[in-house]
Amino acid sequence: MIDPYFVSRQRFIAAPAADIFEVLARPALHSVIDGSNTVKSVRPNGPARLGPGAVFGMDMNMKIDYKMTNTVCEFEEGRRIAWQHFGKHIWRYVLEPADGGTLVTEEWDAREVPTRLVMRLLGYARRNTASIDRTLEKLDAHLSGTPSL
């Protein structure tokens, strides 16, 4: 059964896990790899590189401009990083070194969100599946130096 509150997608990227993690841990690069095209730029005064418990802000746009503050809630250097904002859903990346590169898993996890039914009715899982696929493509393109989508 497909869980409407959890989306997980994978892509093999021919780059070391450390290089991929470095992109994910730098909020200034999130707008470069964002497949939803909602992340516009990093907010000032946040950390240049994320670590455990780091708080960082992003300028966003989904038909209107807004600001989002996120907190790193999972962190294992070079292997796992996740953050959440006030809505409590989690964006997670898990990196598994493999021959010739890294298997990258991106997840959107809203299983513990109090308002998850609203998210389901608004089609977030469906939209996030496509956005995650595009993010992983853009992450791959950024690391390989090929033109982005």
Side-chain angles (χ1 to χ4, degrees), residues 26-71:
R26 297 206 175 269
L29 294 175
H30 291 184
S31 62
V32 173
I33 63 167
D34 173 46
S36 70
N37 294 318
T38 60
V39 178
K40 298 307 171 191
S41 63
V42 66
R43 303 276 309 141
N45 302 321
R49 188 177 192 281
L50 301 176
V55 176
F56 65 103
M58 303 302 290
D59 287 329
M60 310 285 292
N61 182 287
M62 193 181 321
K63 298 188 181 182
I64 61 167
D65 290 334
Y66 62 100
K67 297 168 187 359
M68 191 61 64
T69 301
N70 303 285
T71 302

Side-chain angles (χ1 to χ4, degrees), residues 60-133:
M60 310 285 292
N61 182 287
M62 193 181 321
K63 298 188 181 182
I64 61 167
D65 290 334
Y66 62 100
K67 297 168 187 359
M68 191 61 64
T69 301
N70 303 285
T71 302
V72 174
C73 56
E74 298 173 20
F75 189 92
E76 183 183 345
E77 183 69 42
R79 296 285 302 208
R80 172 188 290 264
I81 188 167
W83 53 83
Q84 64 183 19
H85 57 70
F86 71 92
K88 299 300 180 200
H89 57 277
I90 297 171
W91 291 100
R92 177 183 299 114
Y93 293 86
V94 179
L95 309 178
E96 299 174 48
D99 286 341
T102 306
L103 182 61
V104 180
T105 303
E106 182 180 355
E107 299 172 344
W108 175 79
D109 189 347
R111 292 175 292 190
E112 301 298 321
V113 173
T115 59
R116 66 185 173 273
L117 180 59
V118 173
M119 297 178 111
R120 180 179 183 183
L121 295 173
L122 293 174
Y124 275 85
R126 183 179 58 256
R127 283 197 308 272
N128 285 336
T129 299
S131 294
I132 288 172
D133 283 338

